[in-house]
Amino acid sequence: MKEPSSPHRGPVPVTLCITELAPGGAEKNLVYLATRVDRERFAPRVVSLKSAPEANRSQLLTKLLAAGICPEFLAAKSWWHLPRTLRRLQCYFRRTQTAVVQSFLFHANLVARVAARWAGVQAVAAGIRVAEKARRWHLRLERLTSPWVDRFVCVSQAVAKFIQEKAGIPPEKIVVIPNGIDIAECDQTVPVAWDTYGIPPGAHVILYIGRLDTQKGVDRLLKVADEFLEPEPGIDPHLIILGNGPLREDLEAIARNLSGAGRIHFLGWHPEPLSFLRSACLLVLPSRWEGMPNVVLEAMGCGKAVVATRVEGIDELLGEEGEVQIVPQEEWESFPSRVKLLLRDKALRLRLGAANRARAVRFFSVDRMISAYQKLWEELLHCPGKTRFLKEYPSAAVTEKP
């Protein structure tokens, strides 16, 4: 089907608004959009509520600048800056004649929708990336301000169901567009050498990547770590924790009291997590809730097997092969045995990794994601009150099988 042309003369000004530009899943997908949309149809701009990231975390900013996109940084530091931030964002939308606002993450979603309506922006879409179970006030604000949003773009069917049921968002305002993965980027990343980090070159590395907070469940992973870190003939297991967060000190204290403490390595944040995925045996994700975990998609792109709890979006990502790789929350005690199964069975591990990669290529390419966003924006510009887009773009990750 031919996509409708824009009613605007020349490329449509689209502003992508996010809370900050330090590396993360939402931020990475924003940069994909900003740098790869069709420039004959859209003129992308980027706004960050916070200041520019520090030099050692400016990889995404560098990519934007290389593509000729100079982001606007509003330097907001707290809710006390909200009035000033709203005024500055409203002025920015008017100055750039923004026709479509696409926001990402809670704070940017909330501020952008208010400023956009004040500025008379034609279409507003808010990106919902997680089933926010710990902050009910977020859901109340989503509900109260939902009249100012034309579409809520959810990264998974599970998140869509969550905001419909818990935030009362009308189904006709919800659309699902999964995250995208750049397979070429996975293939071009140089794998790490484990001995650089004091790990034997032949070790079977179990990798966790992400924030160290309650949502991610690393605390409960460590409490059962001794069950899968015991060496066996031909298996030398090591657990790498890649990331930082408020619970790091507490987690390190838990690890120190384990018999397998010497096999647990806290490496902090790293700018190239894909290089660790390329070298790891498998990825673990013990989260309590999610939306569509980007790190699992990256592991799939790198051809790796996964052991994850059943959180939002994970079934949609892994498909039929998830039966082996997903542990139900109520069966958490089986998580260590699932890890051991994949460490012991190399053939199974490789087969799952290959199937994961094939599924990522087929259903979760960056091009597919960008095409869906472009189609949504065109649809909103032509008929913001209609729902035809929802009927034409069901989530292929759910309705099709590789």
Side-chain angles (χ1 to χ4, degrees), residues 127-301:
I128 310 296
R129 305 187 63 83
V130 67
E132 195 70 79
K133 296 179 179 178
R135 298 181 178 92
R136 293 184 179 180
W137 64 276
H138 281 197
L139 298 175
R140 288 195 289 270
L141 283 176
E142 290 285 7
R143 184 185 302 111
L144 288 171
T145 60
S146 62
W148 300 334
V149 180
D150 296 298
R151 291 292 184 276
F152 290 85
V153 183
C154 299
V155 292
S156 67
Q157 295 285 0
V159 170
K161 180 181 179 182
F162 179 84
I163 68 162
Q164 182 180 341
E165 294 179 351
K166 302 300 182 182
I169 305 301
E172 63 270 18
K173 281 195 171 189
I174 299 172
V175 62
V176 174
I177 303 180
N179 293 333
I181 184 72
D182 185 342
I183 295 295
E185 185 179 345
C186 295
D187 293 342
Q188 293 163 8
T189 301
V190 178
V192 300
W194 293 130
D195 54 358
T196 304
Y197 298 93
I199 300 169
H204 293 69
V205 172
I206 304 151
L207 180 63
Y208 166 83
I209 302 175
R211 298 189 316 278
L212 303 183
D213 62 16
T214 301
Q215 174 196 346
K216 297 297 184 176
V218 182
D219 55 328
R220 59 180 182 175
L221 177 69
L222 289 175
K223 290 173 182 177
V224 299
D226 277 340
E227 297 181 39
F228 58 79
L229 288 178
E230 184 69 27
E232 299 180 10
I235 300 177
D236 184 19
H238 286 255
L239 173 63
I240 285 182
I241 309 291
L242 199 68
N244 277 322
L247 295 184
R248 178 164 179 173
E249 290 186 6
D250 293 339
L251 297 174
E252 288 179 334
I254 294 173
R256 283 194 296 269
N257 292 322
L258 299 176
S259 59
R263 295 178 172 276
I264 302 173
H265 312 268
F266 287 84
L267 301 187
W269 179 85
H270 195 279
E272 292 291 345
L274 287 178
S275 61
F276 287 80
L277 277 168
R278 288 289 307 277
S279 297
C281 278
L282 59 93
L283 176 83
V284 288
L285 186 76
S287 295
R288 293 180 168 94
W289 69 88
E290 285 286 348
M292 175 170 276
N294 210 61
V295 67
V296 171
L297 185 52
E298 290 177 334
M300 293 169 67

Side-chain angles (χ1 to χ4, degrees), residues 107-124:
H107 297 89
N109 283 341
L110 187 64
V111 173
R113 69 187 60 166
V114 176
R117 289 317 184 196
W118 287 354
V121 172
Q122 184 174 345
V124 178

